[in-house]
Amino acid sequence: MGFNFLSENTEVYRVPPSVIADYQQKTLLKGIQIATAGYFPEALGHNLKRDAIDDMVVIYCTAGKGYSKYENKTWEIQAGDMLHCWKGIPHRYFADKTNPWTIFWFHLQGKEIESLLKVAELGPRNPVLSIGISPIIISLFREILDVMKSGYHYQNAIYISALARQILSTEIYLHQKVNLQ
């Protein structure tokens, strides 16, 4: 098996640091702001180990599987799971070697993210929500990527910030709905 997580279908969009710094001063973007977003289909060889970073990383697995490690614990991430890597905390995540994950993901900054995720009792020691495959969440991620592809305008940033909030809110709702069944 080869290394293909940066295949021709991979998408990665980064907001330049100077633009992020400017947007952090804007009232409408202080709560949630996307710094980077992407899509990795069948991400064979995807393996990241990070020291603490300033972003919250959210990964939505839509096929295959992967893993996340924090301290001495390992979580298996399967299709329909959302992984949250908390800002300021070292973390590692990687694709399975025989059934690599397909993931949508983003890096978020903002003052409201942790409060929102704590509604679902998420934290560094409880980073995964199982929500199933959601066409709504997939379409929201697709929209974020399409908008980011078109440029880093303030109006685009407001829109994708709202979409990120919608993803997090939908994730919380779907998790609660799955657990009540």
Side-chain angles (χ1 to χ4, degrees), residues 48-65:
L48 286 174
K49 182 178 181 181
R50 288 198 172 100
D51 291 327
I53 60 173
D54 292 333
D55 302 341
M56 166 76 74
V57 180
V58 178
I59 297 172
Y60 182 44
C61 179
T62 59
K65 65 181 176 180

Side-chain angles (χ1 to χ4, degrees), residues 151-167:
Y152 307 110
H153 311 290
Y154 178 59
Q155 292 81 358
N156 287 4
I158 292 169
Y159 181 51
I160 64 173
S161 172
L163 295 173
R165 178 185 294 279
Q166 184 66 33
I167 287 172

